[in-house]
Amino acid sequence: MADSFLSAAGWPRPWVQWAVLGVVLGIGLFVRLDAPEIGLMEARNFVAAREIHAGGSWLLPTMNGELRLAKPPLPTWLVAAVMHLTGSTTDLGLLRLPSAVGACLLVLFFWALARRLTPPADQGRTAWLSAVVLASSLLLLTAGRDGNGWDIYCYCLMTGALAAGLRGLQARGRGWGWFGAAGLLIALSVLSKGPVAPYGMLLPFLLAYAWRGDRSALRRQWPGVVLMVGVGLLLGCVWPLYVLSQHLHEASQVAQTESTSWANRHVQPIWFYSSFPVFMGFWALASLAALVWPYAAPRIRPYAPYALLLAWVGATLLLLSLVPEKKERYLLPVLPPLALLTGGLLRYWLNPARPYTRADTWLLRGWVGVVVAVLLALPLALRFVGLASFAPASSRYWITSLLALAGAALVGWRWVRGQLPQAAVVGTLAVVLLASGLLMPAYPQWQRRRDDPGLRPLAQLVRERPALRQLPVYSLGEMQIKWIWAAGRVVPQWDAGADSLPLRQLPALVYAPARGASPFPAALARRFRVVTVDSFDLSHQFADGRWYVTEISRRPRP
């Protein structure tokens, strides 16, 4: 039976490799995509896509009726395409599908890239291990489950560009086709998040490859590299140039705002990214060990280009750290080279002919110990948290607990048999799949565990009051983009003291920060009937405030 799954060398057969990667990606990225509530950046993307779906411009997207030029349009186009295909503009699970698919493509592109970077004699084993590591890493799973797709798309496409470009560098001939394909993928990456991926992934890779890679290939194929970069930048600039031709003033203002935000917004110290191995999740200990040159270099070199990968990680961290604006999700381009380093170390540990040292043993024991402790503690943690869907009497609690204990037993059994590397890999994947497949459905309860009872959100109000979907609607003051999403339509901001146009289309509904006629000009309140008809809570606690829905209509004639 084992022969049908394993090759003569004891490694999974190709179809098993695909199946394992498919299970990890399928459970990690697609189970209950609708579970988390919508985030700020997601709301911006989905609102702009909804307006395209409602008949707006694809080339010049809008967000709440105003031009949305701050971000390139490809992520918004993909969500709008899902809306067109499915007819749904509210199902978060469907609208997050493009990001999840983008994360899958990133892993597959990386797998192809890793096969080109590892020795042919390895037969793709290190590349496959590295792809599994990347597919189950913490940051990739969180980014792939988030409808804020700008980061996942741009780095997914740039990873594909690197894979195609490396094929061109390694080609016996000129490799024009591979370089052209790489240039097209670079252009699509630019259309996803501007120059972010060329700066955060392409430039570090080229610097590392020029320093520790095959320099002769760069000298031989420099025309192809020029073609790749030229096609990428030329095609990637088509949309920005079109925007400049149509809205020069607005585009210039946006460009100035975005450039200054890199220096003034979310500013963090230069060492902010020093904790980057943590974003590998339960692979973090192995990833950290893979960065220690004296320990890791002799172990990884037979399976992966250690110096090149370490230089790639270092160049990426350096370039990202030089930008004052820093966020944790900006570490996404560090994951591919770090996953390949981790995969190389796993490949060494899984080699039955490897010489073991005390350092290897203690590292693996520590890693396996953490995994077993997490699996054993999970049933107690679920009791302590007290989520309703995991009540001690529920079947979900007992299924999760039994699977966790079975996983701990399997890992412990392999540990006792002296198979520490296998125990570490199996245990890590068990934790990731258990968390994604069974715990993720309870995430909404976790988010709302401290909510005040009796909250009335705007989305509920819109469902219960058809007039909010049918009558003209305005806002008296700026509404957060999450509220615009919940409103289900464009909500223009109204200056009631200066703009009388809405008063020609009565009755109308107005979202206002105060009840009754108090937020409106006195003259308007005297001329028209101003009545508060409902209200909604702004967040998860009553103390966060409330807005009101006010109806303005003509006074009845005496």
Side-chain angles (χ1 to χ4, degrees):
M1 181 66 178
D3 292 342
S4 60
F5 293 96
L6 304 178
S7 65
W11 280 86
R13 295 186 182 277
W15 72 268
V16 178
Q17 295 181 10
W18 279 98
V20 169
L21 201 57
V23 168
V24 172
L25 290 172
I27 295 178
L29 290 171
F30 293 96
V31 171
R32 286 305 307 270
L33 263 180
D34 62 324
E37 66 180 37
I38 193 167
L40 174 63
M41 297 301 294
E42 280 187 312
R44 291 173 178 171
N45 194 23
F46 294 169
V47 166
R50 185 174 66 194
E51 292 177 23
I52 290 177
H53 174 68
S57 170
W58 286 77
L59 290 177
L60 296 171
T62 59
M63 186 173 71
N64 198 33
E66 299 182 359
L67 280 174
R68 171 66 168 161
L69 305 179
K71 299 289 184 185
L74 183 59
T76 305
W77 290 346
L78 293 175
V79 177
V82 170
M83 291 180 177
H84 274 296
L85 290 172
T86 63
S88 173
T89 60
T90 57
D91 188 328
L92 293 178
L94 289 175
L95 303 186
R96 288 171 175 150
L97 276 178
S99 289
V101 172
C104 291
L105 286 176
L106 195 157
V107 172
L108 296 179
F109 282 143
F110 167 73
W111 191 4
L113 175 64
R115 288 186 68 93
R116 308 303 301 183
L117 288 172
T118 51
D122 185 54
Q123 299 180 6
R125 294 165 183 168
T126 303
W128 174 69
L129 282 172
S130 304
V132 172
V133 169
L134 181 61
S136 52
S137 61
L138 176 63
L139 184 55
L140 183 120
L141 292 177
T142 54
R145 296 182 65 90
D146 192 335
N148 165 26
W150 284 283
D151 292 285
I152 202 73
Y153 297 140
C154 75
Y155 287 120
C156 153
L157 295 162
M158 189 57 72
T159 304
L162 293 183
L166 191 58
R167 286 291 298 267
L169 285 173
Q170 295 176 347
R172 293 181 180 180
R174 280 299 183 185
W176 295 116
W178 290 112
F179 287 119
L184 178 60
L185 289 168
I186 291 173
L188 293 174
S189 175
V190 172
L191 282 173
S192 298
K193 205 178 179 183
V196 170
Y199 176 82
M201 181 175 270
L202 178 62
L203 180 58
F205 178 82
L206 291 177
L207 291 174
Y209 200 85
W211 183 33
R212 306 297 297 189
D214 188 355
R215 299 175 191 169
S216 62
L218 282 175
R219 288 192 295 268
R220 186 180 70 255
Q221 300 285 21
W222 69 265
V225 175
V226 171
L227 172 69
M228 175 183 74
V229 175
V231 168
L233 296 181
L234 183 64
L235 295 180
C237 289
V238 169
W239 181 78
L241 291 175
Y242 173 77
V243 171
L244 284 172
S245 70
Q246 299 296 312
H247 297 278
L248 177 60
H249 178 68
E250 293 88 344
S252 301
Q253 285 185 326
V254 169
Q256 183 177 1
T257 301
E258 290 296 309
S259 60
T260 55
S261 70
W262 278 40
N264 300 324
R265 194 170 58 187
H266 304 293
V267 175
Q268 300 292 345
I270 197 167
W271 59 83
F272 178 75
Y273 293 133
S274 59
S275 61
F276 67 95
V278 172
F279 296 95
M280 295 298 292
F282 277 88
W283 306 104
L285 185 59
S287 300
L288 190 60
L291 296 171
V292 181
W293 182 294
Y295 169 79
R299 290 165 170 79
I300 297 176
R301 278 197 191 110
Y303 308 110
Y306 184 79
L308 168 62
L309 295 173
L310 196 63
W312 185 5
V313 171
T316 304
L317 286 172
L318 176 62
L319 291 176
L320 292 177
S321 299
L322 292 177
V323 179
E325 183 185 16
K326 298 178 180 67
K327 295 180 183 179
E328 293 172 344
R329 59 185 169 87
Y330 292 173
L331 278 171
L332 200 57
V334 180
L335 262 58
L338 190 55
L340 189 46
L341 285 171
T342 307
L345 189 56
L346 291 176
R347 178 72 176 87
Y348 170 82
W349 283 336
L350 290 167
N351 184 358
R354 80 285 186 200
Y356 257 14
T357 65
R358 292 184 63 185
D360 296 311
T361 302
W362 283 108
L363 271 171
L364 287 166
R365 284 178 179 174
W367 182 7
V368 174
V370 170
V371 170
V372 170
V374 169
L375 290 170
L376 291 176
L378 184 59
L380 296 176
L382 290 175
R383 280 178 172 266
F384 176 77
V385 171
L387 296 177
S389 60
F390 283 94
S394 66
S395 59
R396 182 178 290 177
Y397 171 80
W398 286 105
I399 291 173
T400 305
S401 299
L402 289 173
L403 288 175
L405 294 176
L410 177 61
V411 173
W413 176 65
R414 286 196 173 267
W415 186 349
V416 170
R417 294 187 61 189
Q419 298 174 335
L420 280 172
Q422 292 86 341
V425 172
V426 170
T428 297
L429 291 178
V431 171
V432 171
L433 295 179
L434 196 61
S436 302
L438 290 175
L439 300 182
M440 185 55 68
Y443 190 70
Q445 294 180 39
W446 173 260
Q447 284 185 307
R448 302 185 182 99
R449 67 193 185 281
R450 295 193 177 94
D451 283 12
D452 290 338
L455 289 169
R456 188 171 167 78
L458 177 56
Q460 176 183 340
L461 195 68
V462 172
R463 287 194 302 268
E464 294 175 355
R465 286 190 170 271
L468 286 171
R469 302 188 299 270
Q470 298 165 359
L471 294 179
V473 175
Y474 304 91
S475 70
L476 204 64
E478 184 177 1
M479 291 180 69
Q480 295 182 15
I481 194 62
K482 284 188 179 183
W483 307 348
I484 301 296
W485 167 254
R489 59 188 294 188
V490 174
V491 184
Q493 189 172 343
W494 178 30
D495 182 355
D499 184 8
S500 62
L501 182 61
L503 300 177
R504 303 173 189 174
Q505 302 173 349
L506 298 181
L509 297 173
V510 180
Y511 295 113
R515 181 189 294 274
S518 60
F520 297 90
L524 184 147
R526 288 193 297 269
R527 290 178 54 202
F528 299 96
R529 183 173 176 265
V530 180
V531 179
T532 296
V533 296
D534 216 325
S535 64
F536 63 93
D537 299 292
L538 303 185
S539 188
H540 297 279
Q541 283 80 39
F542 290 122
D544 294 331
R546 172 174 292 186
W547 269 42
Y548 300 87
V549 180
T550 299
E551 180 180 313
I552 301 179
S553 59
R554 302 187 186 280
R555 291 185 178 276
R557 294 182 179 180

